[in-house]
Amino acid sequence: MNLIEELKNYCDINNPVGALMLSGEWGCGKTYLIKTKFIPSVKDTYVFVCISLFGIDSLDKLRVEVKKKWLEKASEFDSLNGTKVSRVADSCRRIFDTIKDRLPENWQKKGEVVSSIMDLINFMPISNRMFEKKVILVFDDLERTNISCTDLLGCINDYCENKGFNTIIVANEEKIKDRSDNELSYREIKEKIVQRVIPFVPDYEEVVSNSIELMSCGIEYKGLLRKNEKLLVKILSGDFNDNAIIEQYKAKNYKLGSNKEREEYQKEEEELRKLLAQRPHNIRSFKCAIQDFERVYNKLVKEDIQDCSNWLLSFTCLMMTNKAGLLQKITRYGHLFWYLNVEKLYPELFDDNFIVDGFSKWVIQGEWNEDVISKEIQLFLKKEKAATPLEILRTYNLPEVDEEIIDEGFKDLLIEVYAGNLSLDEYILFLYNCCYSRMYDFDLPTIDWEKVREGIRKQIKYLVESDEKDSHSHRMIGDDSKQHFTEDEWSAYQIIKEFRDNNVWIYEKNQKLYIDLISSDLNVAFRELSNKRYNKFSLEMEAATINAFKNADNMDKNHFSGWFVGIWGQYSNSPEIEGHGTTVSLKKLRDDLNSVMQEYKEKGKNIAAGHTQNFIKKLEAIIKTESEDTTVEQ
């Protein structure tokens, strides 16, 4: 069917018996077709008055809107023929003068009630001809109005049947709902008012091609879009064999069982059919997807991803599903089942391996976290390189792994788990996979959970003592998922959670840094250590401090006490610093300084002794403050 020709044929009809409806899904390009293709093709023959019904909630407002748009269209003739538009203006002025003469004298002076030509809209007659051209009314967004279908279509029929306007209605007929049981149904009244319904199906190849070519983007990115143009058309058009999808689902899931089980299977099949029938074809959503993906593309290229095609296709599928409100969010088992509906709607094109959580959160929640996304992409690259069963089990979710690989590699994985050789994120993945094994009824070898917990502690100790970093962005298990994990699994996770929540890693790292710098380079220590976070002044830190002070020259000794008090002077008021242990270490430092001061005095090093005595006094003030605070609390 040639839609343009169908629309032209309708407009050629004199005294139409009903309106013409162009019906199609939301966002499929109906309005675009009318305004950019059809109207320009016949603009010299007809005058088009286009009215959006979106949000209009009364017939009075609708009639005013029609007249207003009619007058606006008439004013456009100003550039073509000033005399004709003057005729319209003169008509408005005559009506204005007639009404004005009947107003009270004080209203005439103040200009109240009627203040401009636009106020005369209600009094201005309109006709189905405008300067010898036929006027075509176009009502858009029929399903988005707040007027009842009976009243709305009755009003449109008045323009069409009684006033002789050729009338085109643009709507998504599937979304039109009957407002009341007491009214005629939409189906009943449509038969009396709508002459013919034309289903609109866009040329998806043309839409995708135009969207790509008209898009303002980088040359390399446009090349990626062109490379995947056919598959992008398949996503937008929904050109999938739904019957085959349903048959594959039945073959995979249907099993012999009780009548109740068969009923449940039938219910699931109906839900799948319903989902497939809702597969979106929204052009605006598609344009959003390929526009937003450019940011993802730039990030992937920066992280050294060579081929971004699968990422593009999966991202577009996710965006289309989410925009249509069809995304299935099941947080109880993490993110794995977020994409069930996307996989059903776009088989073979959507692959959740090419959708990291950071991209999903951006699509769904609008949150772009650069650090999280970078880490997840690096994890993807690591998964890509995984070759042996052990490497695969360290990086993949269990449902993504073949049974043979699990059988072959899980015992080797346990050796690494017990030895503390997994990263903390890998330990959390291990816990998730233990959970997944129960979901999929897959038996794993016996696990010694005390050894698992000890392995986690070994990894934490390694992180504290080495230069390795536990990234700020990392895997986690929400408290609302606790019910799905065994007591052993949950207790193992709590060791990791407490380590991260309590900033243990940061404190331990900073203590180690304090000891290293104060023992090697005081100038760097003075500069770098003041703004670090500590949870205590330990005995190890005390030993490093007294040795550093003893080895310092008098210039550094002179600054040493002020710098030290700058870090620890308010420790008793800091909730994150462990007070008792810090007090013990400070008292030891004071006592050690007293011994050092006596040595300096015996050797006649009075300047050094003076710096030491000054340090002791400042320590006394700190310790005294803490003691007084303790007394008050008691």
Side-chain angles (χ1 to χ4, degrees):
M1 178 190 296
N2 188 319
L3 290 178
I4 301 296
E5 289 302 318
E6 287 292 320
L7 292 168
K8 286 180 181 179
N9 289 336
Y10 172 76
C11 292
D12 287 340
I13 298 173
N14 292 319
N15 302 314
V17 297
L20 180 72
M21 177 177 284
L22 182 65
S23 179
E25 295 181 43
W26 281 340
C28 70
K30 304 182 297 295
T31 304
Y32 180 84
L33 173 79
I34 294 289
K35 291 186 175 180
T36 65
K37 292 191 175 182
F38 172 56
I39 291 179
S41 71
V42 291
K43 64 180 180 179
D44 295 331
T45 307
Y46 307 107
V47 176
F48 288 88
V49 176
C50 301
I51 304 98
S52 173
L53 298 170
F54 194 105
I56 293 180
D57 56 8
S58 73
L59 294 180
D60 287 339
K61 290 182 179 178
L62 173 57
R63 294 187 182 102
V64 167
E65 188 69 14
V66 172
K67 291 182 178 181
K68 190 167 147 186
K69 295 294 184 182
W70 193 96
L71 287 170
E72 287 176 359
K73 184 59 66 171
S75 71
E76 292 178 6
F77 280 84
D78 187 27
S79 60
L80 300 174
N81 192 324
T83 303
K84 292 180 179 179
V85 82
S86 297
R87 194 189 311 165
V88 176
D90 289 342
S91 177
C92 290
R93 290 191 189 97
R94 285 197 299 273
I95 295 173
F96 177 77
D97 291 338
T98 301
I99 296 172
K100 185 178 178 183
D101 290 341
R102 300 189 181 189
L103 296 175
E105 185 176 348
N106 61 328
W107 284 14
Q108 292 181 34
K109 293 179 179 178
K110 294 180 180 179
E112 295 179 6
V113 180
V114 180
S115 58
S116 69
I117 290 179
M118 289 311 295
D119 290 325
L120 296 174
I121 288 175
N122 284 321
F123 304 99
M124 180 67 193
I126 63 172
S127 69
N128 61 6
R129 294 275 171 175
M130 187 180 293
F131 313 127
E132 287 76 49
K133 286 187 177 182
K134 185 187 290 187
V135 175
I136 311 296
L137 294 182
V138 180
F139 292 97
D140 199 359
D141 297 315
L142 182 76
E143 70 281 4
R144 288 186 166 106
T145 183
N146 294 321
I147 307 172
S148 73
C149 287
T150 302
D151 292 341
L152 177 60
L153 291 177
C155 181
I156 292 175
N157 186 60
D158 180 54
Y159 285 109
C160 185
E161 184 175 348
N162 299 328
K163 297 179 180 176
F165 284 94
N166 290 62
T167 303
I168 298 173
I169 301 172
V170 182
N172 180 352
E173 197 175 14
E174 296 300 320
K175 298 294 182 180
I176 298 175
K177 299 179 180 179
D178 299 323
R179 304 302 172 94
S180 169
D181 293 337
N182 297 323
E183 297 178 340
L184 288 172
S185 71
Y186 163 71
R187 308 299 166 188
E188 292 172 324
I189 195 170
K190 184 192 79 170
E191 296 302 321
K192 302 177 182 296
I193 294 170
V194 177
Q195 180 172 331
R196 186 165 71 255
V197 176
I198 302 177
F200 175 71
V201 179
D203 183 337
Y204 290 111
E205 291 184 4
E206 181 182 4
V207 169
V208 172
S209 178
N210 289 342
S211 298
I212 293 173
E213 297 309 319
L214 295 175
M215 185 176 172
S216 177
C217 62
I219 297 175
E220 294 81 5
Y221 179 55
K222 184 163 288 192
L224 175 72
L225 295 176
R226 288 169 176 162
K227 174 184 174 183
N228 291 279
E229 189 170 317
K230 288 185 178 180
L231 293 177
L232 290 172
V233 170
K234 184 170 185 175
I235 293 173
L236 180 59
S237 65
D239 184 20
F240 296 88
N241 189 334
D242 289 348
N243 288 330
I245 293 173
I246 292 170
E247 290 304 317
Q248 288 174 5
Y249 175 81
K250 290 166 65 174
K252 181 178 179 181
N253 293 280
Y254 282 26
K255 301 175 182 178
L256 294 176
S258 65
N259 291 332
K260 181 178 179 180
E261 288 176 333
R262 284 195 290 270
E263 290 174 0
E264 289 175 353
Y265 291 143
Q266 290 172 358
K267 182 180 179 181
E268 290 175 0
E269 181 182 336
E270 288 305 313
E271 289 176 350
L272 177 58
R273 290 182 184 277
K274 182 179 178 181
L275 173 67
L276 297 176
Q278 297 178 80
R279 185 185 288 114
H281 309 281
N282 192 293
I283 296 173
R284 187 177 293 107
S285 297
F286 173 78
K287 289 181 177 179
C288 287
I290 62 173
Q291 185 177 71
D292 285 352
F293 187 76
E294 185 174 16
R295 184 179 185 183
V296 175
Y297 170 79
N298 291 333
K299 180 65 177 175
L300 293 171
V301 171
K302 183 179 178 181
E303 298 290 342
D304 202 29
I305 299 291
Q306 301 299 320
D307 185 358
C308 298
S309 294
N310 288 329
W311 297 84
L312 167 66
L313 299 174
S314 296
F315 183 90
T316 305
C317 294
L318 176 65
M319 177 74 85
M320 296 288 288
T321 306
N322 184 61
K323 286 279 190 181
L326 299 176
L327 195 65
Q328 186 174 1
K329 302 175 188 176
I330 305 177
T331 59
R332 53 192 290 188
Y333 291 119
H335 72 277
L336 183 65
F337 296 103
W338 283 8
Y339 312 123
L340 284 178
N341 283 353
V342 196
E343 292 171 345
K344 294 172 184 176
L345 290 168
Y346 303 101
E348 299 177 4
L349 291 185
F350 178 80
D351 186 341
D352 65 1
N353 285 312
F354 299 98
I355 289 287
V356 300
D357 284 358
F359 294 155
S360 297
K361 288 181 179 178
W362 185 46
V363 170
I364 300 166
Q365 302 168 0
E367 175 189 347
W368 179 279
N369 190 314
E370 191 79 14
D371 292 340
V372 169
I373 291 171
S374 293
K375 181 176 180 183
E376 289 176 338
I377 293 175
Q378 291 306 311
L379 178 61
F380 168 83
L381 291 171
K382 184 177 179 181
K383 290 172 70 174
E384 287 286 287
K385 295 176 182 177
T388 67
L390 173 60
E391 291 170 342
I392 292 171
L393 290 173
R394 288 181 69 151
T395 53
Y396 281 83
N397 291 303
L398 201 70
E400 303 170 328
V401 182
D402 291 338
E403 288 83 354
E404 295 79 8
I405 291 177
I406 301 173
D407 291 336
E408 184 178 348
F410 200 83
K411 291 182 179 179
D412 292 335
L413 177 65
L414 283 180
I415 294 173
E416 298 297 302
V417 168
Y418 297 156
N421 293 337
L422 272 60
S423 70
L424 295 185
D425 274 357
E426 288 174 339
Y427 275 108
I428 294 176
L429 177 62
F430 171 78
L431 299 176
Y432 266 119
N433 284 339
C434 291
C435 179
Y436 287 141
S437 70
R438 291 190 297 278
M439 292 171 51
Y440 288 90
D441 196 24
F442 187 89
D443 291 331
L444 295 175
T446 303
I447 300 172
D448 187 329
W449 284 100
E450 186 53 46
K451 290 184 178 180
V452 173
R453 289 186 283 270
E454 183 58 31
I456 294 173
R457 294 187 185 99
K458 289 178 182 177
Q459 174 61 203
I460 290 174
K461 184 177 180 181
Y462 167 75
L463 285 173
V464 170
E465 294 178 350
S466 69
D467 292 330
E468 292 287 333
K469 292 184 177 180
D470 179 41
S471 174
H472 177 68
S473 57
H474 44 66
R475 279 193 177 104
M476 61 179 296
I477 303 174
D479 290 340
D480 57 345
S481 299
K482 180 179 179 180
Q483 59 181 314
H484 305 295
F485 292 84
T486 66
E487 184 176 337
D488 281 325
E489 292 164 356
W490 193 251
S491 66
Y493 175 67
Q494 290 308 298
I495 298 172
I496 300 173
K497 185 175 186 298
E498 289 172 8
F499 171 69
R500 285 170 165 168
D501 289 352
N502 295 329
N503 297 304
V504 173
W505 183 83
I506 295 175
Y507 295 140
E508 295 290 345
K509 280 289 183 183
N510 286 342
Q511 285 188 38
K512 183 176 183 297
L513 182 65
Y514 180 98
I515 293 170
D516 290 343
L517 287 183
I518 204 172
S519 302
S520 60
D521 193 328
L522 271 182
N523 289 326
V524 176
F526 288 165
R527 185 174 64 250
E528 300 289 336
L529 298 178
S530 297
N531 296 321
K532 300 297 182 183
R533 292 174 59 195
Y534 308 97
N535 66 337
K536 66 178 177 180
F537 181 60
S538 65
L539 291 175
E540 291 82 5
M541 295 169 79
E542 187 277 333
T545 302
I546 190 64
N547 287 333
F549 184 80
K550 287 167 61 177
N551 294 328
D553 57 29
N554 281 341
M555 181 180 291
D556 286 338
K557 280 184 169 66
N558 186 39
H559 295 98
F560 202 108
S561 60
W563 166 78
F564 185 87
V565 171
I567 297 176
W568 303 103
Q570 298 297 319
Y571 81 95
S572 61
N573 297 322
S574 175
E576 66 179 338
I577 293 181
E578 195 274 298
H580 176 72
T582 299
T583 300
V584 170
S585 297
L586 288 174
K587 287 180 177 179
K588 186 174 189 312
L589 178 59
R590 177 196 60 190
D591 295 341
D592 288 344
L593 285 171
N594 269 314
S595 299
V596 170
M597 183 178 64
Q598 294 303 321
E599 292 179 12
Y600 288 150
K601 286 181 178 181
E602 291 173 1
K603 295 178 180 180
K605 294 184 177 183
N606 293 335
I607 296 176
H611 291 323
T612 308
Q613 186 173 19
N614 183 45
F615 197 172
I616 293 170
K617 287 180 180 180
K618 290 181 179 179
L619 283 177
E620 290 284 2
I622 295 173
I623 297 170
K624 182 179 179 182
T625 300
E626 195 275 337
S627 300
E628 288 176 350
D629 289 343
T630 304
T631 302
V632 171
E633 291 176 0
Q634 291 175 346

